[in-house]
Amino acid sequence: MSLIEHRQLIILGAGPAGLAAAIYGARAELKPLVITGMVLYGQASLTHTIENYPGFPKGIGGMELGQLFEEQAKAFGTDFLFDEVQAVDFSKHPYKVSVYGGDYTADALIIAMGAYAKKLGVPGENEFIGRGVSYCGTCDGWFYKDKDIHVVGGGDSALEEAIFLTRFAHSVTIIHRRDTLRAGAILENRARTNPKISFIFDTVVKEIRGTEGVEELMLENVKTGEVSKMPTDGLFVFIGHTPNTQLFEGKLEMEPDGTLRINSNMETSRKSVFAAGEIADSHYRQVVTSAGMGAAAAISATHCLETMSCGF
Ligand SMILES: Cc1cc2nc3c(=O)[nH]c(=O)nc-3n(C[C@H](O)[C@H](O)[C@H](O)COP(=O)(O)OP(=O)(O)OC[C@H]3O[C@@H](n4cnc5c(N)ncnc54)[C@H](O)[C@@H]3O)c2cc1C
């Protein structure tokens, strides 16, 4: 495929990390190109209201916040390409980024392709996202004050989030498909001794039902096959998170949890290739932290391009 264009900086992804990187890269006059992928504004666009991003005391719609990021990035000279990255060739510099529409080259890259929460894949799940089904306790816990809610999962993140959710909820019931938890002993002990937390073991959610919001779960005991109904005010699913790193397997170093390995300058294992947001962070996973990483990556990219210290 023929080369379309060369850029100093290409940003892969248009979530909070990519858009914050674009604002900083554009203000450094790098004229960045943002390749958006299929989810313009990223995961944040999937949520109705974001109440924990600083500067918006009454909250702001996820889509609206993304539009403001985009407007700000464009105001300083960012270009947007609505296409999806198919491959990145790191074998020679400048690096080649292939999208459906052609090939681009860049002196520096910021990879901000995010991650996605693993889903249960049961009827009702997609229908009730944001209306009783959530994948983020920090984001949505506040909406469940004094409610009776359920958590699916048995690992560290499920227990951590369940304990966090007891700050708000009246009760938190953890549903786990096995009869033992996979979490660390301290966390398990903390969850088991929390008076608001109870457990249903050997059980999976088969269906999520409701009208305006989630009202009940259909559960199945995996040992007896018994099916039962469980009333609920909300379901939090914590069965894992998958960073969008498939394109970089064997090309960039990864952490054991599957995120891209970066140093404190947001540099990956390759010179002049930076990463930011959830593709490189499985711990904080917030709009503000992802945007902060994006800003840091753009500052580092600017420094490496200005000082020719990128190593090429
Ligand atoms: C339902 C929900 C509610 C949430 N609520 C809140 C909240 O209230 N407060 C909060 O702080 N956080 C919240 N979060 C978390 C927050 O949205 C994420 O932490 C944040 O969006 C991560 O930003 P990111 O830029 O790293 O990645 P993402 O937001 O995942 O964006 C990734 C970007 O990469 C692009 N991309 C992917 N593959 C390709 C490809 N091959 N080529 C090009 N581009 C690609 C996508 O199209 C997208 O634009 C919520 C998350 C969800 C799912």
Side-chain angles (χ1 to χ4, degrees), residues 2-181:
S2 59
L3 180 67
I4 297 179
E5 209 176 313
H6 174 77
R7 291 277 177 149
Q8 269 191 293
L9 174 64
I10 293 183
I11 297 166
L12 286 56
L19 294 171
I23 292 167
Y24 276 75
R27 290 193 78 250
E29 302 200 320
L30 296 176
K31 269 201 81 49
L33 175 70
V34 173
I35 302 175
T36 66
M38 294 299 127
V39 191
L40 184 59
Y41 314 140
Q43 294 171 65
S45 69
L46 305 175
T47 190
H48 186 254
T49 314
I50 294 178
E51 295 194 324
N52 52 10
Y53 191 75
F56 298 94
K58 295 190 174 121
I60 181 164
M63 192 60 99
E64 199 186 339
L65 183 62
Q67 283 165 350
L68 290 172
F69 282 176
E70 181 187 8
E71 189 184 325
Q72 199 170 351
K74 279 184 172 162
F76 294 110
T78 304
D79 292 321
F80 282 77
L81 177 71
F82 298 93
D83 206 330
E84 195 170 46
V85 177
Q86 301 302 302
V88 182
D89 183 355
F90 295 109
S91 62
K92 61 176 190 288
H93 197 268
Y95 301 126
K96 188 169 79 182
V97 179
S98 303
V99 299
Y100 284 114
D103 294 338
Y104 292 76
T105 53
D107 294 328
L109 298 176
I110 296 177
I111 302 172
M113 283 162 39
Y116 55 92
K118 283 187 190 145
K119 290 187 175 181
L120 293 170
V122 299
E125 184 175 19
N126 288 337
E127 187 186 341
F128 289 111
I129 289 176
R131 295 191 295 134
V133 173
S134 173
Y135 304 88
C136 178
T138 319
C139 317
D140 297 331
W142 196 87
F143 298 111
Y144 293 86
K145 271 191 179 156
D146 300 323
K147 303 282 186 194
D148 295 306
I149 60 174
H150 289 74
V151 162
V152 181
D156 283 337
S157 73
L159 264 57
E160 260 174 34
E161 297 270 2
I163 293 165
F164 176 77
L165 288 166
T166 59
R167 293 175 186 217
F168 312 99
H170 172 255
S171 73
V172 178
T173 306
I174 298 174
I175 301 168
H176 185 43
R177 64 189 163 145
R178 299 204 178 85
D179 57 4
T180 49
L181 298 166

Side-chain angles (χ1 to χ4, degrees), residues 241-268:
H241 230 69
T242 310
N244 282 317
T245 52
Q246 297 85 340
L247 295 181
F248 309 109
E249 271 161 29
K251 296 180 175 179
L252 297 176
E253 284 178 18
M254 314 254 177
E255 297 291 351
D257 65 9
T259 53
L260 292 182
R261 177 166 294 163
I262 52 171
N263 64 18
S264 56
N265 296 325
M266 307 290 137
E267 247 175 330
T268 68

